[in-house]
């Protein structure tokens, strides 16, 4: 977990006696600063070869040369809020019970940054956090709760690209640049004057796809948007067209993901290549913001006194496995960047150990003979599969956790349905999946009734007696 990584090089501060003592003040004063830059949807494979050949990432390369790169870092849940809840709490997802983008940590939960502050650090945060409960749209909530229902509904707009034809347009994601500016101003105006170490967090939205202009409530984020300035950083000829299984041969989970992400239609190779190129260009813009922080630290003579960490909440499929977005444990979605540099951190070191935003990721396998991850080898090695299953069960009773997720989904949907009343179907008909729902609403209503009657929850049973 992040607190453990930081404690390796700042142990004197974190192991200090009660706040306010003379010994603690002396130890904290000698501890390094910490800057954590966390982006959204950055494919961790781009931080090492051969992935890094496709786009110029000078500041990630700077961190690689002057620090340590974790080659096998993974998200604990490839969705924004659950992954961030895990990172900020230091707890696995089955402990945070953050199952979707609506369910995260309690707003008053003690995070790693709170712990750092209690041990004498000055703390500041800018930009995207997204680890507490209650955010995102009604569509996000209803879609998550009804994933057990036997229907398929498109939840996203078809992935598309949108180009700003300006070779000089550097600031495309203006909100991220504004938060980067705010962080740099804070370093210049406040942090430079502190007599005790500081922790700075900068959360970026890039390279997350942009909201699509289609109709419906928050109809997905399916637009890959950049300018000619950033597109020039991409080696177009090096972009790989991913292999796809035929729709008829796809695993049901993969087919569900492709369908709900609106990716089951026909795509030309040019469309696929452009989506990937634009995504890489968005990664280059992300790298530039990371660079602005590094340059500011160096200019202020703080770089040699500061641990800099760069990571992301999850990756981006970018049309691998006929999908975009995340929500998958395939490499593109689950592999995240993790780089560290600063005092006490070894330089130009690449660590192959499996780690995650919380801790070591012990069950990840090496799929080098199947780089496209198209072969299910579980059935070929039943002994290994059984052994890994037993190890997993010794850590977590996952059937019980799965059952609790299904129970949570039903109860939350019932509460929402009861709050809407008999008109709930009309409300759903205007959510992001409206195009499919409006074709045959009675069929989908029937599927919901069958789902709820097959798995009655305490709320449903109680409501029958009211």
């Amino acid at each position: 977990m992040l607190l453990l990584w930081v404690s390796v090089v700042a142990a004197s501060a974190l192991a200090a006696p009660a706040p306010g003592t003379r010994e603690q003040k002396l130890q904290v004063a000698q501890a390094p600063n910490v800057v954590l830059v966390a982006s959204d949807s950055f494919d961790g494979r781009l931080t090492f070869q051969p992935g890094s050949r496709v786009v110029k990432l000078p500041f990630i390369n700077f961190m690689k040369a002057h620090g340590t790169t974790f080659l096998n870092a993974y998200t604990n849940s490839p969705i924004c809020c659950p992954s961030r809840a895990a990172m900020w709490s230091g707890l696995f997802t089955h402990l945070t019970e953050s199952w979707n983008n609506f369910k995260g940590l309690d707003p008053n939960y003690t995070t790693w940054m709170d712990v750092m502050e209690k041990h004498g650090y000055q703390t500041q945060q800018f930009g995207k956090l997204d680890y507490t409960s209650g955010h995102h749209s009604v569509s996000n909530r209803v879609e998550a709760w009804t994933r057990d229902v036997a229907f398929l509904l498109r939840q996203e707009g078809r992935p598309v690209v949108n180009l700003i034809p300006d070779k000089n347009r550097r600031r495309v994601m203006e909100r991220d640049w504004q938060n980067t500016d705010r962080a740099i101003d804070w370093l210049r105006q406040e942090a430079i004057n502190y007599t005790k170490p500081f922790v700075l967090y900068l959360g970026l939205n890039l390279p997350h796809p942009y909201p699509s202009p289609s109709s419906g409530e928050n109809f997905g984020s399916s637009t890959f948007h950049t300018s000619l300035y950033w597109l020039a950083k991409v080696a177009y000829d090096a972009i790989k067209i991913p292999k796809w299984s035929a729709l008829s041969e796809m695993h049901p989970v993969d087919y569900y993901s492709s369908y709900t992400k609106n990716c089951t239609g026909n795509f030309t190779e040019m469309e696929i290549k452009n989506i990937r190129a634009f995504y890489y260009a968005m990664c280059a813009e992300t790298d530039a913001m990371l660079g602005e922080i590094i340059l500011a630290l160096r200019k202020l003579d703080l770089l040699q006194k500061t641990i800099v960490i760069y990571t992301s909440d999850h990756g981006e499929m970018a049309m691998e496995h006929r999908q975009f977005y995340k929500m998958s444990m395939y490499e593109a979605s689950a592999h995240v960047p993790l780089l560290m540099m600063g005092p006490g951190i070894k330089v130009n070191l690449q660590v192959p150990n499996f780690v995650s935003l919380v801790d070591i990721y012990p069950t990840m396998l090496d799929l080098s003979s199947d780089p496209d991850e198209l072969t299910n080898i579980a059935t070929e090695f039943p002994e290994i599969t059984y052994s890994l299953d037993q190890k997993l069960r010794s850590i977590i009773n996952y059937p019980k956790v799965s059952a609790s997720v299904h129970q949570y989904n039903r109860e939350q949907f019932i509460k929402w349905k009861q709050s809407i009343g008999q008109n709930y179907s009309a409300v759903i008909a205007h959510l992001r999946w409206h195009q499919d729902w409006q074709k045959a609403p009675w069929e989908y209503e029937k599927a919901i009734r069958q789902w709820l009657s097959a798995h009655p929850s305490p709320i449903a049973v109680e409501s029958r007696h009211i």
Side-chain angles (χ1 to χ4, degrees):
M1 66 185 72
L2 180 61
L3 188 56
L4 290 178
W5 299 333
V6 173
S7 68
V8 169
V9 291
S12 60
L14 298 181
T21 67
R22 179 179 177 182
E23 182 181 357
Q24 185 211 26
K25 292 179 180 178
L26 178 62
Q27 290 176 328
V28 169
Q30 296 172 344
N33 308 307
V34 179
V35 172
L36 171 61
V37 178
S39 64
D40 196 310
S41 308
F42 199 104
D43 186 343
R45 299 173 301 176
L46 293 176
T47 62
F48 55 88
Q49 299 290 348
S52 58
R53 295 175 186 153
V54 77
V55 59
K56 295 179 180 178
L57 302 170
F59 292 101
I60 283 177
N61 288 335
F62 179 87
M63 289 193 67
K64 288 166 57 179
H66 294 83
T68 295
T69 304
F70 291 86
L71 301 179
N72 291 297
Y74 291 87
T75 182
N76 299 101
S77 179
I79 313 176
C80 294
C81 187
S83 65
R84 293 168 184 269
M87 184 178 75
W88 281 84
S89 67
L91 299 175
F92 288 106
T93 304
H94 68 280
L95 297 177
T96 65
E97 297 185 331
S98 178
W99 310 125
N100 53 53
N101 275 337
F102 179 67
K103 178 74 162 59
L105 302 178
D106 183 90
N108 297 319
Y109 192 92
T110 301
T111 68
W112 62 267
M113 185 172 275
D114 296 323
V115 176
M116 299 288 280
E117 187 171 14
K118 288 178 181 179
H119 284 85
Y121 279 80
Q122 183 70 39
T123 63
Q124 183 59 271
Q125 55 194 31
F126 296 99
K128 186 171 185 177
L129 296 174
D130 203 17
Y131 62 82
T132 55
S133 296
H135 303 291
H136 294 268
S137 66
V138 174
S139 277
N140 280 134
R141 305 172 201 177
V142 178
E143 290 158 11
W145 298 331
T146 56
R147 282 186 180 144
D148 298 324
V149 182
F151 56 51
L152 283 175
L153 295 164
R154 293 179 180 88
Q155 299 171 8
E156 308 292 343
R158 178 185 170 95
V160 295
V161 298
N162 184 45
L163 178 65
I164 299 174
D166 187 345
K167 294 181 179 179
N168 299 313
R169 179 69 177 274
R170 189 168 182 265
R171 294 194 168 208
V172 178
M173 172 50 83
E174 187 58 41
R175 184 174 58 180
D176 278 351
W177 282 106
Q178 290 172 356
N179 285 322
T180 302
D181 291 342
R182 291 171 62 203
I184 292 172
D185 288 342
W186 181 80
L187 288 171
R188 290 172 178 165
Q189 299 172 16
E190 298 187 40
I192 192 66
N193 299 315
Y194 290 149
T195 56
K196 58 182 181 180
F198 62 81
V199 178
L200 170 64
Y201 170 87
L202 173 62
L204 303 175
N205 200 64
L206 276 182
H208 190 292
Y210 289 73
S212 58
S214 186
S215 58
E217 183 199 304
N218 299 329
F219 192 67
S221 294
S222 54
T223 299
F224 293 81
H225 179 59
T226 192
S227 69
L228 284 174
Y229 179 90
W230 295 114
L231 207 55
K233 312 294 182 184
V234 178
Y236 199 81
D237 292 339
I239 297 174
K240 175 187 175 184
I241 299 294
K243 297 177 182 178
W244 289 353
S245 297
L247 288 174
S248 60
E249 298 174 359
M250 292 178 73
H251 189 282
V253 172
D254 285 337
Y255 183 82
Y256 174 87
S257 295
S258 293
Y259 190 95
T260 58
K261 294 175 182 178
N262 214 341
C263 290
T264 52
N266 293 325
F267 288 85
T268 66
E269 284 199 358
M270 183 63 72
E271 284 182 283
I272 298 169
K273 202 163 189 177
N274 281 339
I275 288 171
R276 292 173 70 78
F278 277 54
Y279 169 68
Y280 296 140
M282 293 158 67
C283 291
E285 186 176 1
T286 307
D287 178 82
M289 292 183 230
L290 170 65
E292 291 295 314
I293 298 296
I294 292 173
L295 292 174
L297 289 169
R298 184 163 67 178
K299 187 174 182 179
L300 296 170
D301 199 28
L302 291 172
L303 192 57
Q304 72 276 17
K305 309 171 187 175
T306 304
I307 298 169
V308 180
I309 304 169
Y310 172 63
T311 191
S312 184
D313 56 353
H314 49 72
E316 162 63 51
M317 297 294 284
M319 302 310 290
E320 293 187 24
H321 295 277
R322 206 184 187 101
Q323 299 178 41
F324 78 106
Y325 240 15
K326 56 272 187 176
M327 305 160 186
S328 166
M329 290 309 293
Y330 284 123
E331 285 289 292
S333 172
H335 207 139
V336 298
L338 180 57
L339 303 99
M340 303 173 63
M341 69 177 187
I345 305 296
K346 291 186 178 181
V347 301
N348 199 26
L349 176 65
Q350 294 187 335
V351 178
N353 302 63
F354 290 111
V355 297
S356 75
L357 296 178
V358 169
D359 207 344
I360 300 298
Y361 198 99
T363 59
M364 187 57 61
L365 298 177
D366 183 7
L367 296 168
S368 58
S369 61
D370 181 29
D372 296 301
E373 298 179 288
L374 299 176
T375 303
N376 180 5
I377 62 172
T379 56
E380 298 179 26
F381 302 96
E383 297 85 3
I384 295 177
T385 302
Y386 177 80
S387 175
L388 291 174
D389 180 70
Q390 293 304 304
K391 289 181 179 179
L392 180 59
R393 289 174 183 267
S394 71
I395 299 171
I396 173 178
N397 184 342
Y398 65 82
K400 181 179 179 181
V401 172
S402 179
S404 70
V405 175
H406 297 319
Q407 180 79 354
Y408 163 81
N409 286 338
R410 289 192 297 273
E411 292 182 357
Q412 291 299 313
F413 179 80
I414 291 171
K415 286 181 181 179
W416 175 79
K417 181 175 178 290
Q418 290 174 344
S419 71
I420 297 299
Q422 296 300 318
N423 202 36
Y424 89 99
S425 181
V427 176
I428 287 181
H430 290 85
L431 298 183
R432 296 192 300 177
W433 56 32
H434 67 286
Q435 293 179 346
D436 287 326
W437 184 277
Q438 291 174 7
K439 294 177 183 177
W442 58 91
E443 292 185 7
Y444 301 128
E445 292 170 19
K446 179 181 178 182
I448 286 180
R449 288 196 299 271
Q450 291 176 338
W451 166 54
L452 294 179
S453 62
H455 305 280
S457 69
I459 292 180
V461 173
E462 181 181 346
S463 66
R464 295 192 189 121
H465 299 284
I466 294 179

